[in-house]
Amino acid sequence: MFKKKLKLAKRAKEISVTLSKLGFYNIYEYFKLLFGLEVDPEAKPRKIREALERLGPSFIKLGQILSTRPDIVPVYIIDELIKLQDKVAPFDYRIVEEILKRNYGDRLWEIFSHIEKKPIASASISQVHVGYLKTGEKVAVKVRRPELRELIELDSELMYMVVDFLERHFKGVKEFNLKGVIHQFKRTTLQEADFTIEAQNIKIFQENFKDYKGFKVPKCYEDISTSEVLITEFIEGVKISEVELLKKKGLDPVDIARRLTDAYFKMVFKDGVYHADPHPGNLFVLDDGTIVAIDFGMIAFLSKTKKKYFFDYIIAVTTLDLNLAIQFYEGFNMFTPYTDFSNFESDLQFFLEKYHNKRLDEINLREMIEDIIGFIRENHLKLPTDIAYLGKAALNLEGTVRKLDPTFNPTERLKNFVGTSTKDYLIEKAYELRDAVELSFYLIFKLEHIYRLLIRERITYQIVFKDLDELMKFYKIQTGKIALAVLFVGLLTASALFFIAEKETTGYILLVISFFIGLISFYRVLRF
């Protein structure tokens, strides 16, 4: 426990020094600016982004998550967070060798014939080296950063402490559920750091695209991959953002944009599992025009129910059905105690009318997402992770296809998937009707059971106080402060009495002890 506190103190010092070099007073001031609790014209959004990049892997990942949360972070900061570069200085090859030997032991050079010492990519979670198997295949060797999990745990703990401070000293902070954001960051980052999960993700996408032409998922060597090392097929392709080079190879950027959009919409509306980070660095094009996606550490799922809510919302826009649209927000549990329902309904009506008469090919995806962001912020709605990731992925996709063809509108391709989904939608509605009949039949027996319980007086009641733990914590802190204050006054009085009794040595000892307890008491009053 004491060792952990020392590590926390050391990490807090590192963060404070880094922030001070960029002109931030302390970590609390920095987070107030990041979350828009304070506005300082001197603290440019670029400086806030640079601070996250310099603070290391954990904070880069936190910034990436916050870039999907316009309900928490101001839009002008999000515009900068989207530019976060997941590039970190590489670690020494000797450490790479240690990790490889730890995972493969004596089998290392039975599996590999050669591994390049210089990495071809270095990010917050891992770095990638070119390798060659004994069987002759060229592979990508992805190695997790050393002591990454411990760093994530430490930084998460510090972030919780900062959020605790902000919640106690700033009204309205609690409604943002920042602790939920930190929990999401910790969970997703630890998942990304476990390469056995990424290997399973690759397997899912390979199955979904096994008969799909023009889009490829690299082969994963599961039998020689571990939680720390991931071995995948090496992709010899051109980055999708290098448009001029694609043209020189005789490839049509417009066709690539169309096929990429179709593949992505297939992930979302058909498969229900999609690549949550489709930025240009994760997309390559082979010489035959095949698009290849890499890095499946960050993926997201959409259940049948959630896909239905999205499809219902599209129907609501085309039919101006306000009640059906409201069901979307209810289904995703987006309402908060701060939502004004009269304003919400009028704003929603305005949004529906704005897009009601537009054809899909007339809708600008970025503009529509920005309208949704504004709508969520103004009506104090919660933004579920599903929608946050989908929104970020859609913006990344839109940016990528615009580079390929500035006139291309991804929304136009959506009509192919909305059209083919109508049949599935009707089938889903038929299933809902069946479920409703089953539920009615089941309720008859439940009502009878409740009636019998009432007759026998066997019903019990349970009352749950949602904030009881926090209230108990608050009183515990206050009780501690009072105890320290009483101890301080008692020792100070005792030292005075000993001086009167001419026992100066004891008096001085008690005076020094009371002085230190007074300092601790004063610190706790200021801090909490």
Side-chain angles (χ1 to χ4, degrees):
M1 188 68 180
F2 182 68
K3 191 177 178 182
K4 184 181 178 182
K5 285 191 177 293
L6 279 176
K7 287 182 178 179
L8 276 171
K10 185 181 175 184
R11 180 60 178 150
K13 183 186 173 184
E14 288 173 6
I15 292 168
S16 298
V17 169
T18 303
L19 290 175
S20 65
K21 286 178 182 176
L22 289 166
F24 297 105
Y25 179 64
N26 58 43
I27 192 168
Y28 300 108
E29 299 295 325
Y30 175 75
F31 270 78
K32 283 190 282 183
L33 292 168
L34 180 62
F35 294 123
L37 301 173
E38 284 186 2
V39 177
D40 181 359
E42 297 299 316
K44 305 293 183 186
R46 180 179 57 81
K47 286 174 67 180
I48 292 173
R49 171 179 59 82
E50 286 175 353
L52 288 170
E53 288 175 343
R54 291 196 194 183
L55 288 171
S58 298
F59 285 85
I60 289 172
K61 285 298 172 188
L62 176 66
Q64 289 175 341
I65 288 171
L66 290 174
S67 71
T68 68
R69 298 300 302 268
D71 55 327
I72 295 174
V73 181
V75 176
Y76 72 94
I77 292 178
I78 281 182
D79 289 339
E80 197 64 35
L81 293 183
I82 289 171
K83 301 174 189 174
L84 265 172
Q85 295 296 307
D86 198 359
K87 294 177 182 177
V88 181
F91 51 94
D92 195 274
Y93 183 71
R94 284 175 297 180
I95 299 172
V96 173
E97 275 191 320
E98 286 174 14
I99 294 169
L100 291 172
K101 285 175 182 175
R102 182 167 67 242
N103 282 270
Y104 298 110
D106 296 333
R107 295 191 309 133
L108 178 59
W109 298 115
E110 292 175 10
I111 296 170
F112 298 96
S113 60
H114 177 68
I115 297 173
E116 296 285 347
K117 291 186 178 181
K118 187 178 179 181
I120 57 171
S122 180
S124 56
I125 297 291
S126 61
Q127 68 184 38
V128 182
H129 294 256
V130 175
Y132 296 87
L133 300 180
K134 283 283 189 181
T135 50
E137 294 105 313
K138 187 177 182 180
V139 294
V141 182
K142 189 175 181 180
V143 183
R144 188 172 75 201
R145 287 190 165 271
E147 299 176 355
L148 179 69
R149 296 181 72 89
E150 184 184 28
L151 183 64
I152 293 166
E153 295 283 354
L154 279 176
D155 285 347
S156 300
E157 191 73 28
L158 284 170
M159 289 173 196
Y160 278 124
M161 289 166 65
V162 171
V163 170
D164 259 335
F165 177 86
L166 294 176
E167 284 184 348
R168 282 194 300 272
H169 291 84
F170 292 89
K171 283 185 178 180
V173 172
K174 205 167 184 181
E175 70 171 277
F176 291 149
N177 188 23
L178 298 181
K179 286 181 181 175
V181 176
I182 306 303
H183 176 73
Q184 180 194 345
F185 144 75
K186 184 178 176 181
R187 187 186 73 249
T188 54
T189 309
L190 287 173
Q191 282 180 348
E192 273 194 77
D194 184 349
F195 292 154
T196 56
I197 294 175
E198 184 169 352
Q200 287 300 311
N201 294 343
I202 292 171
K203 200 172 178 180
I204 291 168
F205 279 86
Q206 280 182 327
E207 180 64 26
N208 290 345
F209 281 92
K210 64 180 180 182
D211 299 320
Y212 194 88
K213 290 183 180 180
F215 190 89
K216 179 182 175 180
V217 178
K219 177 184 176 182
C220 176
Y221 296 83
E222 277 189 270
D223 55 330
I224 54 173
S225 293
T226 69
S227 62
E228 282 188 289
V229 184
L230 183 72
I231 313 297
T232 59
E233 172 189 358
F234 189 84
I235 300 301
E236 305 273 7
V238 178
K239 274 189 180 181
I240 204 165
S241 56
E242 297 180 11
V243 181
E244 293 306 316
L245 188 53
L246 291 172
K247 288 178 180 177
K248 283 180 182 177
K249 286 180 172 284
L251 300 171
D252 181 8
V254 177
D255 177 61
I256 294 169
R258 177 182 58 76
R259 289 189 290 109
L260 173 62
T261 304
D262 286 354
Y264 192 79
F265 284 154
K266 174 190 180 300
M267 294 180 206
V268 175
F269 292 101
K270 186 176 179 182
D271 302 334
V273 52
Y274 59 92
H275 194 301
D277 198 19
H279 65 75
N282 285 337
L283 296 165
F284 292 83
V285 184
L286 304 183
D287 288 344
D288 64 356
T290 301
I291 300 166
V292 184
I294 63 166
D295 194 354
F296 290 86
M298 189 183 290
I299 69 167
F301 293 87
L302 276 178
S303 65
K304 281 186 178 180
T305 304
K306 288 173 181 176
K307 281 196 289 182
K308 183 184 78 67
Y309 284 137
F310 276 113
F311 193 67
D312 280 350
Y313 200 71
I314 293 169
I315 299 294
V317 173
T318 56
T319 59
L320 268 181
D321 190 332
L322 186 66
N323 289 326
L324 189 60
I326 289 172
Q327 286 178 26
F328 171 85
Y329 296 94
E330 288 175 342
F332 278 97
N333 193 28
M334 294 175 70
F335 295 118
T336 71
Y338 303 93
T339 304
D340 185 320
F341 283 94
S342 59
N343 289 338
F344 167 78
E345 288 193 6
S346 60
D347 288 350
L348 181 58
Q349 186 70 40
F350 177 80
F351 178 83
L352 294 177
E353 288 173 359
K354 179 177 178 178
Y355 290 98
H356 168 60
N357 292 318
K358 285 189 177 182
R359 299 194 312 271
L360 282 172
D361 57 347
E362 295 175 329
I363 295 174
N364 183 300
L365 186 63
R366 176 174 286 274
E367 181 188 331
M368 186 171 74
I369 289 173
E370 286 173 354
D371 282 347
I372 293 169
I373 288 169
F375 176 73
I376 286 169
R377 284 188 73 86
E378 287 169 18
N379 289 280
H380 301 283
L381 301 173
K382 285 188 296 185
L383 188 63
T385 306
D386 316 77
I387 299 177
Y389 276 155
L390 189 57
K392 184 191 175 188
L395 284 174
N396 274 335
L397 178 72
E398 202 254 4
T400 302
V401 297
R402 292 279 185 197
K403 278 188 177 180
L404 292 164
D405 177 18
T407 63
F408 185 80
N409 188 347
T411 324
E412 184 181 0
R413 304 294 301 175
L414 185 60
K415 60 188 175 186
N416 298 328
F417 294 87
V418 172
T420 55
S421 297
T422 306
K423 182 182 175 183
D424 295 335
Y425 180 74
L426 292 172
I427 292 170
E428 190 68 36
K429 288 295 178 187
Y431 282 139
E432 283 181 19
L433 182 62
R434 183 201 65 186
D435 291 343
V437 172
E438 286 181 357
L439 181 63
S440 301
F441 187 69
Y442 177 70
L443 275 174
I444 293 171
F445 293 98
K446 268 293 176 188
L447 287 170
E448 182 188 0
H449 180 63
I450 291 168
Y451 170 74
R452 291 183 184 279
L453 285 175
L454 284 168
I455 294 296
R456 295 171 188 170
E457 298 181 343
R458 285 173 51 198
I459 289 184
T460 59
Y461 297 91
Q462 183 180 17
I463 299 173
V464 179
F465 295 97
K466 289 177 70 178
D467 295 326
L468 186 59
D469 287 341
E470 291 192 19
L471 196 62
M472 287 175 68
K473 184 179 176 183
F474 171 77
Y475 282 123
K476 187 178 177 181
I477 290 168
Q478 302 310 314
T479 305
K481 290 181 196 175
I482 293 167
L484 279 172
V486 170
L487 189 59
F488 167 68
V489 172
L491 287 171
L492 197 62
T493 305
S495 69
L497 291 172
F498 275 105
F499 276 117
I500 292 168
E502 296 182 352
K503 293 185 178 180
E504 294 184 359
T505 305
T506 309
Y508 275 121
I509 292 170
L510 292 175
L511 184 63
V512 171
I513 294 170
S514 67
F515 174 74
F516 281 111
I517 289 174
L519 283 178
I520 294 167
S521 180
F522 185 65
Y523 168 73
R524 292 195 67 179
V525 167
L526 286 179
R527 188 170 183 269
F528 298 104

